[in-house]
Every structure is written in structure tokens, then in C-alpha cells.
Amino acid sequence: MLEDKRISILRSFVVGIAALSPLLILIITNEDILSVDFPILVGLFIQAYIGFSSFMLVQSYEPKEKNKVTVGYAVFWSALGICYISGKSLMMPIALEITSFSTILIYSGTEYGKKQIESLGSLLLASGISALFLSAWVMLPDGDNIGIILLLIGLLIKSGFSGFHIWLPKVNEGGPSHALGSFAGVLEIFPLLLFYRYVLPNQLDPIIYQVLFPLAALGIFFGGITSFFHKDPKISLAYSSIESLNFLWLCLIITGMFQFSGDTDLMNLSNSFRILFFLSLLHHSFSKTFQLFSIGMVSRLINSNNSDELKGIGRLLGISPLLLGAGTFSYAVLPGTIGFVSEATYFYLNARILDLPIGRSVFLLPSMIFIFFGIVLGGFTHIKLYITMFLSIPRNNMNLLPFGDMQKRWLYISLLSLAFTIYLFPLALPLFVELPMLKPFADQQLIDWFWNISFVSMVTILIIMFFYFYDRWNRVKISDLKRKTWDCGGGYSGHELSVPSTVFSKPLKNSLGRYFVNKMGDSIVDNLIINSLTFIFNFGTKFVSSTNEPKEEDISKYLAISSMFLIFIFSLLIFGDFKG
């Protein structure tokens, strides 16, 4: 037992060094970490923090191949750190590919089935396509507009932006929970921070932001609705990530849209959304990682992908619902959580938008209803999963995978480290906006707002702590205190009255859900995108004979297609010459 403990500590030390080293190197060697390279500092800080939490879950989650998983994580964090600190060089796309391929080792602790292979394949495909665009940007000179556009496309693909998101649900479907939490909390925010560092400072054509803005709003709407109606917890959280990531893109788009405006009101709006981006980024990283860790771990105990079959299974972990609900409370916008800071600030900024003259706000107002709807349903997704999995009564004689005291201890450390940030950050919010990179963008109204929500959060946390300790004192004082279940009135404690997650979504399934999720539970929008891509890629087969032996008429088809594309290329060249 002592030998196993020493080996576990050694594994944690190796992974911790790999996750922390890039941050230390940046702090020691870079003098611009509180100015232009501030987003790189934020990304590496999150990496170091979540790298620790994720590997604590590995110690609890993986029954075998821990050495391979350790090597995989060491390579993963080291390579991702190189992506951050390498700047505009070929090391960035190379390190990104190494980061992606290291996931093969990270997945080695799970049995390779169809879902696991599809998960790996989707991740590698998205990373490979993104790396091609990043490579093109690296090869082009600084300030080149084409290079900036290619970089933007690569970042949109890698981050799961609306329309480029189809790989993300497949990744969540078959990946281990510790890996999915690392992807959501660190890897998926990497493109957003690169955008902030290398694209946002450039004065792009306004039409680009005007195209991206409605797409991001639709991504929020689509992601929130699809996550609410999906039955698989991991895939549901994937669509919730799509909603969160598109919201982060929305903040960046509004920032870029008005950052060079001569209008004072629009400039203040741009600066406020710049700060909101970092608040929402921290909310997404820590809250989403917590959800994937906790819900993914619970799902694995009975190896089910149906949330209705997981009723009450979280109770069997023996961990306090207050701790297990940290991520849910954050997405439910409860005061005292990092999610409350993010969402409340967004609502506050929307109130300021309404105060703008109609000519300045008309572009933003129509999208509000879609954004609000997606955010609300996305948040309620987490609530329904929490009520079903962690508060309901489990059925009798459930066949659970082994989960001993040592595994419970590692899981407790992992979740507690993330919950600590979720609850502590609102109290430190006024200090956060005093950082040199953010302070110039915070006007006095926004600073006063942050002090107010920080105070509300502090009061809420104190009240909850008071009732928590009072409850513990009451239990000690009254030793025969009978436990009561929350959802089974009349003193009945049977599992039959437990609340399944579909209770919340079924009333809206026929009126709204049927437009986004089919009877099999798959996304209708994603299936449409995949079928369209499949048709395009298979278009060439329409011109080829059904047999493997070419026929005489195939030659004329090939020549006709080649001539068409040759004429098209010459037309572009001639048009370019006349335009120049």
C-alpha cells in the first residue's frame, strides 16, 4: 500500500511539473505578461491549475495503465504549453499536433471501442485541419490580412464555433472524464486566447464581425437547446460547451466590433465585453471541468449513457451534495459562484445596451432573445442533471463498478480544488479587475458593479456556511435525527418517485425539441451538416462508373471537369489582374 502511494505521488509530481513548467518559463522570460501577453498568462495559469485537478481524477478513475496515462498527460501539458509560449513560429502547429496525438496515451486506460475510436478520430481531425491553417498563418508575413483570416478560420474550427462544432460531441461521447474535463477547461479555450493575442489587435474588416456575430448568437441558441433535450450526460455537456464557447466568441466579437469606434458609448461597451470575456472564460474553464469530472465519474459507475438510468447514483459516492453541486450552482447563476459573476455581468451590460440610442444598439438587440434562451436552457441542463443524479433516490441492487476509499479520496481532492476557485473567485473579483491589463478597460460604473456583486456573493456564502454548520451542530445534538428525502414526500424513500431528467424536457419536446433533436436523440442540425459534407465529398463518385474498371465515357467526364476548373482558375487570375 505504501509503495502504491509513493508511485501515485511520483506520477502526480511528473504531471504537475509538465503542467506548471510552461507557466514558470513564461513568468521568468517574458516581460509582457501583464500587457500584450496577458491572455497567454491566463491560459497557462488555467492549464497549471486544471492539470493538477485532472490528474487527481486519473488516480481515482483509471484502474489500469496509469503509467501510460501519466506519460500522455506529461506530453499533453508540455506540448500545449509550448503552443502558448512559442508565438508565431512553426513550433506552434507542430506542438498542437503533438498535443493531439498524446491523447492516444491518455485514452489508453479505457477499453478501445467504437465510441473511443470515433472520439480520438474527431479530435485528431479537428486538430489536424486547424494546424494546417495555423501553419499557413505562420508562413505568411506579420500583418498580412490573408494570414490573419487563415488564423481566424483555424481558431474557429479548433474552438467549436457555430458550424465548426460537429467534432466536439463525438469527442465527448467516448472520452474518459478526466480527459474531457482537460479538453473543455484548457484545450478548447486555447484558440480563444490566441484570437485575443494575435487577431483582436488588428483592425479587421467590419463585415467579418458582422458575419460572425449572428453565427455566435445562433451557436448559443442551438447549443443550449440541444443540451437540454439530449439524454446522454456527456453529449449534453458537450452541447453545453458549444453554448459557452460561442458566448465567449460573442464577447470577443463585440469587443472587436467597437474597439476602434470613435463613439464613446460604443468604446465603453467594447471595453466592458473585453473584461466579461475573461470572467466568462474562467467560468467556463472551472465550472465545465467540474461538471465533466463529477457527472462523468458518476456515469462511469454503472457504465450508462442515459441520464434517466443514473437516478440518484451520485448519492452512492458518499460526498456532500454541496460539493458535488458546485458546477451546477455556478451554471444556475446562484450568488457566490463564478457563474453568477459572469452571467449577471452580461445581463448588466445588456441593460446598458438598452440605454444606448437605438441607432447604435439596433444591431445587437435582435440577437438578445436567442442568446438569453440558449443561456437559460443551457443552465437548466445542469440543474436537471444535478437533481436527477445527485439528489434523487437510487434504485435498489445497482451493479456498480468498484469505488473504494482511496478512489474517493482522489476524487474529493480533484473536485474540491475546482470548487475552491468557483466559490472564491467572486470574493476576489474587485482585485481581479485591478490587474494592469484590465484596469484601463473598466469604467467607474463597471467597477462599482463588481463591488456590488462581490458583496452579494460574500453575504450569500456566509449565510450558506451558517446553515451548514448549524445543520452539523443539530445532527450532533440530536443523534436520532431522521434523514428526509427531498423528492419523496410522505416519508416514503423508494426510488420509484425519484425524478428522471426527461421530466424537465418532455413538456417542450413536441413543441420545441423536435426541431433540434430526433427520436434517436441525435442533433438534427449536426446530422444535416454531416450529410451535406458527405454529399460534397462523395460528389465525385457520381461521375465514376459503379465498377472499378473505367469506361470510355468516364474519360470525357474527367476532361470536362478538369476544363471547368481550369477555366475557373484562369478567370480568377484575370479578375485579380483587372482588380489590381
Side-chain angles (χ1 to χ4, degrees), residues 10 73 100 151 415 499 511 526 555:
L10 178 61
Y73 267 114
S100 301
L151 172 62
L415 297 181
V499 179
S511 60
D526 282 3
I555 298 176

Side-chain angles (χ1 to χ4, degrees), residues 411-444:
L411 174 62
Y412 187 85
I413 294 172
S414 176
L415 297 181
L416 186 63
S417 64
L418 294 170
F420 180 76
T421 304
I422 291 173
Y423 291 130
L424 181 65
F425 182 82
L427 305 181
L429 178 60
L431 300 177
F432 180 74
V433 294
E434 289 293 323
L435 291 173
M437 180 58 185
L438 299 179
K439 189 174 181 179
F441 301 107
D443 57 69
Q444 190 58 46

Side-chain angles (χ1 to χ4, degrees), residues 377-390:
L377 284 186
F380 210 87
T381 298
H382 298 268
I383 296 174
K384 75 169 190 174
L385 289 175
Y386 177 72
I387 291 175
T388 299
M389 299 173 68
F390 298 109

Side-chain angles (χ1 to χ4, degrees), residues 71-244:
V71 174
Y73 267 114
V75 175
F76 179 85
W77 296 125
S78 301
L80 187 57
I82 293 173
C83 289
Y84 274 111
I85 62 180
S86 61
K88 187 182 178 183
S89 68
L90 280 176
M91 281 302 300
M92 180 184 288
I94 293 173
L96 182 60
E97 284 295 274
I98 295 173
T99 301
S100 301
F101 278 97
S102 67
T103 56
I104 297 174
L105 290 173
I106 294 175
Y107 277 53
S108 61
T110 59
E111 296 293 336
Y112 276 101
K114 181 176 181 293
K115 290 183 178 179
Q116 285 71 30
I117 294 173
E118 288 180 346
S119 175
L120 271 174
S122 300
L123 179 64
L124 294 175
L125 177 63
S127 296
I129 296 174
S130 179
L132 287 175
F133 286 96
L134 290 180
S135 301
W137 166 67
V138 168
M139 298 300 292
L140 291 170
D142 293 340
D144 186 87
N145 289 332
I146 296 178
I148 297 297
I149 297 299
L150 293 174
L151 172 62
L152 174 60
I153 295 173
L155 299 180
L156 293 174
I157 293 172
K158 185 60 181 172
S159 65
F161 184 74
S162 179
F164 298 106
H165 66 272
I166 55 175
W167 60 273
L168 210 156
K170 278 295 181 184
V171 171
N172 270 44
E173 187 176 12
S177 295
H178 53 80
L180 299 181
S182 300
F183 298 160
V186 184
L187 189 60
E188 290 169 10
I189 68 169
F190 167 70
L192 292 151
L193 292 170
L194 281 191
F195 178 92
Y196 190 100
R197 171 63 180 85
Y198 295 105
V199 179
L200 195 61
N202 296 278
Q203 191 166 358
L204 295 180
D205 191 331
I207 191 65
I208 295 176
Y209 290 119
Q210 292 172 9
V211 171
L212 294 178
F213 181 85
L215 290 177
L218 287 174
I220 297 170
F221 178 73
F222 160 77
I225 289 181
T226 309
S227 68
F228 180 70
F229 288 105
H230 215 289
K231 292 183 179 180
D232 189 319
K234 286 186 176 181
I235 299 180
S236 185
L237 291 178
Y239 283 105
S240 177
S241 291
I242 292 170
E243 175 250 315
S244 299

